[in-house]
Amino acid sequence: MNDTSHAESLAADLFRMVMQAKERGIAVDRGFRNHALESPRLSITYLFLPRAELLKVSAFPPALRRFVRRMNALVCLEAKKDNGRRTTLGIHLLWATDAPLAEVCGPEAVQEELVLPGVAAYTEQVRGLLRADIARAAKTDA
């Protein structure tokens, strides 16, 4: 998958999450979470947060603060240990918009406002995790 098709796919996924939350009656402009993946070793959660809430997060990287807008979509990757504890592997800012989420008109609008450094960092981290998991599985099978 090339960078353009990956951005289109991610934008479509983020837009779908917003639409599904609206359909469930969630006030999307207040923010919400979407638990996208829950496996024995990994959890991926998308966070849709208003600017005021996001800027309260003390661990939010200062270099990314310039990208923050009225509404923001982040992805949080967490490793799950055998004892049930979770370790944050990464938090990436994927999308930032000044439009209220309830008014976002389509995936194309989302794609235009993707935060490309965040998308690239997320993509690279997921690729690395998958490579490590494949290597771990190959060792187990050998």
Side-chain angles (χ1 to χ4, degrees):
M1 181 182 292
N2 64 35
D3 290 345
T4 302
S5 62
H6 178 68
E8 288 172 357
S9 176
L10 180 60
D13 288 344
L14 292 170
F15 180 72
R16 180 184 41 77
M17 288 179 222
V18 172
M19 293 301 102
Q20 288 175 342
K22 280 176 54 176
E23 289 169 5
R24 290 193 313 256
I26 295 171
V28 294
D29 291 321
R30 288 193 195 161
F32 66 97
R33 294 172 185 247
N34 182 301
H35 300 284
L37 175 82
E38 197 70 39
S39 77
R41 292 185 179 260
L42 181 67
S43 172
I44 299 178
T45 303
Y46 290 88
L47 308 167
F48 293 81
L49 298 173
R51 176 184 180 84
E53 293 299 313
L54 180 55
L55 293 179
K56 288 180 187 176
V57 178
S58 61
F60 190 72
L64 293 180
R65 288 182 186 269
R66 69 183 177 101
F67 293 106
V68 173
R69 301 285 182 262
R70 177 180 183 164
M71 289 300 300
N72 307 276
L74 299 94
V75 62
C76 178
L77 295 106
E78 295 177 304
K80 293 167 38 179
K81 310 262 183 187
D82 291 336
N83 62 5
R85 297 189 68 144
R86 294 173 181 243
T87 303
T88 300
L89 301 173
I91 298 175
H92 306 284
L93 179 61
L94 302 176
W95 173 40
T97 183
D98 285 320
L101 287 185
E103 296 176 15
V104 174
C105 58
E108 301 79 18
V110 174
Q111 186 174 349
E112 289 175 10
E113 298 177 314
L114 289 176
V115 178
L116 298 180
V119 172
Y122 169 55
T123 302
E124 188 56 36
Q125 185 170 25
V126 169
R127 284 180 182 151
L129 290 169
L130 291 174
R131 276 189 227 108
D133 201 37
I134 289 169
R136 185 174 25 257
K139 286 181 183 179
T140 304
D141 291 342

